[in-house]
Amino acid sequence: MKPALSALALALALIAPVAQATAPATAAQAIAWLPAAADADIERAFAQARSEKKPVLLYWGAKWCPPCNQLKATLFKSQDFIQQTRAFVAVNIDGDLPGAQKLGARFKVRGYPTLILFSPEGQELTRLPGEAEAPQVLQVLQLGLAGGRPVKAVLTDAQAGKKLSANEWRLLGFYSWETDEQQLVAPTERTGLLVQLAAGAQGGGADADTVNRLWLKALAASTSGQGVKADAALRERVRGILNNPVLSRAHADVLTGEAADIVRALQPEAGAERQSLVALYDSALRRLEADASLSRADRSSAMIGRVRLARMDQAADALSPKLPAELLADVKAHAARADREVTEGYERQAVITSVAYLLGQAGLWKESDDLLKASLAKSHSPYYLMSQLGGNARKQGRKDEALRWYEEAFNKSEGPATRLQWGSGYFAALVELAPQDAAKIEKTAAQLFKEAGQDKGAFYERSARSLQRVGAKLASWNAEGQHQAVLNRLQTQLNGICAKVDTADQQRATCEGLIKAPAKKA
């Protein structure tokens, strides 16, 4: 164990146990985040970490992101977490800062939010599960700090069949597999790895909580017959978790967010056995939705899980699913309660967007629209809600209304990366819903390319993918060469932009590859 981390582990032991609920921070307390927008900022942060013999915690997020706002409303306000931040250097990369997307490429972070723990020397120790509750995140943080061994090395030993300690198994069980970005495993191999780890943990020294979580994660990742081959023992394990209030509460984040996938993996075929499991699962979700110790966002996730279970055997795109009257009443009551009770800005951004989605999934489209419209003035990122309104209208076939909302969302969006993301979404909708409007399609693409030319990070990470989405849509729109004159004008504009783009990190190549000529007919 490294001396710096050993000392830190001792200090952390003096902090209130993480299993207890974390109290909110007072107004005078705050995390001393170091904002980072360039490599120089990161180098200064790690120099400070080495000097003070402290690890580094990196947070990558965005103003509009609902899960990020959930972290701000819960974990980042926790007294225990704020206390722990005194023991490491806390670095915040806002995805809309000038060089943030380049830093995203450096650290292999894409999805918001991502939390990574580094050693003082800059070695990645683990990625923290931002979707888990504050006490669980704190415990994983302690494990990463106290062990000093990178999760990659722990995984290598696990795959080799070497003996791991219970804490090392827990580090794997609570690793943020969703934000791994191929640091440990390729996406196509993740499900198989989770199955392997779950089997290895069972009887391999892991505690029961970790074994349960790994099996639930493996089930949730199983799709189209790939992954877990459920047997009677595994079905009984999950039923035991659902039946037990303590166990289901401990794994609420996985159970609520992955309900339908877990049921499909356990019972692939519709029938009496699946119905029995769904009924048991629904009871557990009811209990979690009513649990006041859970965050409002997690309780909304439980209600979404109930709706997804109820519409499992219906068409995925059904606008008016057949749901029990009691469930619809519960959804309406939940939405009204959330709208009434959630007033804090960060929490509202996380909860109301989730509840609006819930209402749509239940087929309550008017209620979803009304909630979003009433919340626009209360949101610090109203363009996110506008995009949801556009999505609602689009699903119901109201194309003109959808485009109006998408356009307004783009116009109101803020920050270079966010504007490219929202702009590419609006552009894609234009091509799909109004392909005849060549003038607006050209104008919007030209505006996005102009903004990209003013942003030094436009050809990195999320921003690059937004622009590539625009290029792909242009290619499909011009598949027969019928809009080649438009593409020629856009290409001329892009040539001037690309000539000024740095050749490092394939940036210029990314720029030059955005517009592709239509395929020649045989």
Side-chain angles (χ1 to χ4, degrees):
M1 188 180 298
K2 297 179 181 179
L5 296 180
S6 299
L8 179 57
L10 180 60
L12 292 176
L14 303 177
I15 297 175
V18 296
Q20 299 176 1
T22 55
T26 64
Q29 292 176 313
I31 300 170
W33 292 110
L34 296 179
D39 287 323
D41 299 326
I42 295 296
E43 299 313 323
R44 279 192 292 270
F46 276 105
Q48 178 181 333
R50 289 190 297 272
S51 173
E52 298 175 2
K53 294 182 171 56
K54 292 180 178 179
V56 171
L57 180 70
L58 184 146
Y59 162 62
W60 159 266
K63 176 182 177 181
W64 52 264
C65 154
C68 303
N69 281 274
Q70 173 67 6
L71 283 176
K72 293 173 185 176
T74 54
L75 180 67
F76 294 169
K77 286 189 174 181
S78 156
Q79 285 184 355
D80 286 350
F81 184 76
I82 291 172
Q83 279 183 286
Q84 287 203 17
T85 65
R86 309 299 186 232
F88 49 72
V89 177
V91 177
N92 176 17
I93 303 178
D94 182 317
D96 277 306
L97 290 177
Q101 296 303 317
K102 181 179 179 181
L103 291 178
R106 172 177 173 173
F107 291 113
K108 303 297 187 295
V109 289
R110 291 190 175 185
Y112 300 136
T114 298
L115 291 163
I116 309 179
L117 182 67
F118 295 91
S119 72
E121 294 75 26
Q123 185 177 36
E124 183 171 320
L125 296 176
T126 193
R127 299 196 172 202
L128 303 171
E131 77 281 1
E133 283 194 281
Q136 292 172 322
V137 176
L138 289 167
Q139 189 174 65
V140 177
L141 184 61
Q142 286 187 356
L143 292 175
L145 294 171
R149 203 156 80 101
V151 68
K152 191 170 188 176
V154 175
L155 176 61
T156 298
D157 283 355
Q159 291 179 295
K162 295 182 180 179
K163 184 174 178 57
L164 302 183
S165 69
N167 281 347
E168 288 175 326
W169 278 116
R170 194 165 185 83
L171 198 62
L172 292 172
F174 283 85
Y175 178 72
S176 182
W177 296 101
E178 290 73 17
T179 62
D180 175 59
E181 298 301 339
Q182 303 190 58
Q183 298 308 288
L184 297 185
V185 63
T188 55
E189 299 173 6
R190 184 183 304 157
T191 302
L193 175 60
L194 286 169
V195 173
Q196 179 188 356
L197 290 176
Q202 189 174 339
D207 59 67
D209 194 44
T210 299
V211 174
N212 284 338
R213 186 174 184 86
L214 282 168
W215 277 121
L216 289 173
K217 282 285 188 180
L219 285 165
S222 300
T223 55
S224 303
Q226 297 181 346
V228 176
K229 306 300 181 187
D231 56 15
L234 183 54
R235 293 189 183 97
E236 189 59 33
R237 174 185 291 275
V238 175
R239 294 181 74 92
I241 294 171
L242 295 172
N243 261 319
N244 188 313
V246 174
L247 294 181
S248 56
R249 176 65 176 76
H251 300 289
D253 59 311
V254 187
L255 291 174
T256 59
E258 313 291 350
D261 289 334
I262 289 173
V263 168
R264 287 193 186 95
L266 288 171
Q267 298 288 354
E269 303 297 329
E273 291 185 353
R274 178 190 273 188
Q275 290 176 357
S276 173
L277 178 60
V278 166
L280 178 61
Y281 212 130
D282 184 72
S283 295
L285 292 176
R286 282 172 180 262
R287 194 168 59 239
L288 293 171
E289 194 275 334
D291 189 339
S293 71
L294 281 169
S295 71
R296 289 185 178 91
D298 289 335
R299 295 170 70 182
S300 294
S301 184
M303 184 60 76
I304 291 172
R306 290 187 62 198
V307 171
R308 285 177 173 167
L309 288 178
R311 55 180 294 167
M312 269 185 66
D313 296 323
Q314 302 180 45
D317 58 352
L319 292 176
S320 301
K322 296 179 181 179
L323 302 180
E326 181 185 2
L327 178 56
L328 285 174
D330 287 348
V331 169
K332 291 178 180 179
H334 180 93
R337 186 166 56 250
D339 188 29
R340 182 175 62 251
E341 295 178 355
V342 183
T343 57
E344 195 273 335
Y346 291 135
E347 185 179 22
R348 191 169 178 89
Q349 184 73 9
V351 174
I352 293 304
T353 52
S354 177
V355 171
Y357 171 80
L358 163 68
L359 289 166
Q361 284 290 290
L364 301 170
W365 296 103
K366 182 181 184 303
E367 289 86 345
S368 178
D369 285 347
D370 289 347
L371 177 61
L372 289 168
K373 290 174 184 177
S375 299
L376 287 172
K378 302 175 185 178
S379 172
H380 58 60
S381 305
Y383 47 88
Y384 190 95
L385 282 65
M386 292 172 186
S387 291
Q388 283 190 278
L389 284 162
N392 283 0
R394 184 176 186 173
K395 289 171 185 174
Q396 297 171 81
R398 302 196 301 270
K399 296 182 180 180
D400 290 344
E401 181 184 347
L403 286 174
R404 285 196 299 272
W405 279 119
Y406 286 137
E407 183 175 19
E408 186 172 0
F410 173 42
N411 290 338
K412 294 289 177 61
S413 62
E414 301 172 334
T418 292
R419 284 194 55 75
L420 289 178
Q421 181 173 340
W422 257 251
S424 70
Y426 169 49
F427 184 81
L430 265 177
V431 171
E432 293 168 15
L433 303 181
Q436 75 285 353
D437 196 343
K440 183 163 280 190
I441 287 173
E442 180 177 0
K443 179 182 177 182
T444 304
Q447 181 179 349
L448 289 168
F449 291 158
K450 178 182 177 180
E451 293 190 21
Q454 297 167 346
D455 175 17
K456 292 183 178 180
F459 301 98
Y460 287 105
E461 278 303 331
R462 293 176 70 98
S463 293
R465 292 197 301 279
S466 295
L467 291 169
Q468 287 165 343
R469 183 184 185 190
V470 172
K473 285 297 178 183
L474 279 171
S476 67
W477 182 62
N478 189 46
E480 301 297 325
Q482 68 273 43
H483 302 294
Q484 192 58 46
V486 172
L487 266 70
N488 288 343
R489 290 192 291 272
L490 291 171
Q491 184 67 71
T492 298
Q493 176 195 8
L494 200 57
N495 288 342
I497 293 170
C498 296
K500 300 176 183 178
V501 172
D502 196 338
T503 57
D505 302 322
Q506 296 296 308
Q507 275 203 97
R508 184 175 293 179
T510 298
C511 182
E512 293 173 343
L514 291 180
I515 295 181
K516 294 180 172 60
K520 294 182 179 180
K521 295 182 180 180

